[in-house]
Amino acid sequence: QVRLVESGGGSVQAGGSLRLTCAPSGTTDSNIRVGWFRQAPGKEREGVASLYSTGERIYYADSVKGRFTISQDNAKNTVYLQMNSLKPEDSAMYYCAAGFRGGLPLRPADYNLWGQGTQVTVSS
């Protein structure tokens, strides 16, 4: 069974950086969308960034443009989220997800397979 495992979260001060990693276990379909989402306590889950399995069709939430970068390593079947210039409002549980069906690139409901999440905490 395919699973997504996130790692790389932690606690940093504002202005710091973290790199999140999404590592799939098992085989994955060739044509999928992979996205990063986050959810803070008491708030709805929101899309952060996503890309297509080819590395194309990259999308970012406006709130992270210029600060976050999503990338992939096809050889390792791994997707990364480089987060720079972190702000306290970036604090959330971050999830990696895969979408096997058509839909909007940053809409959680359009993703089908989810990882367990990794916590990111940014202090002021």
Side-chain angles (χ1 to χ4, degrees), residues 66-124:
R67 299 188 299 119
F68 291 11
T69 302
I70 187 170
S71 62
Q72 66 177 6
D73 185 334
N74 288 334
K76 299 179 180 179
N77 294 319
T78 300
V79 177
Y80 303 96
L81 183 68
Q82 179 66 46
M83 306 186 295
N84 298 325
S85 301
L86 283 163
K87 305 174 181 179
E89 52 263 42
D90 294 319
S91 297
M93 183 72 73
Y94 282 71
Y95 299 90
C96 177
F100 303 97
R101 306 172 184 175
L104 297 178
L106 297 177
R107 187 167 68 182
D110 290 329
Y111 287 74
N112 313 103
L113 178 66
W114 293 82
Q116 83 289 348
T118 184
Q119 181 67 45
V120 172
T121 302
V122 184
S123 60
S124 60

Side-chain angles (χ1 to χ4, degrees), residues 38-85:
R38 65 188 183 187
Q39 187 169 22
K43 298 182 179 180
E44 293 188 347
R45 190 167 299 183
E46 64 174 342
V48 175
S50 71
L51 53 67
Y52 204 61
S53 59
T54 61
E56 302 174 339
R57 305 178 189 180
I58 297 176
Y59 299 89
Y60 295 98
D62 289 341
S63 60
V64 306
K65 286 182 179 178
R67 299 188 299 119
F68 291 11
T69 302
I70 187 170
S71 62
Q72 66 177 6
D73 185 334
N74 288 334
K76 299 179 180 179
N77 294 319
T78 300
V79 177
Y80 303 96
L81 183 68
Q82 179 66 46
M83 306 186 295
N84 298 325
S85 301

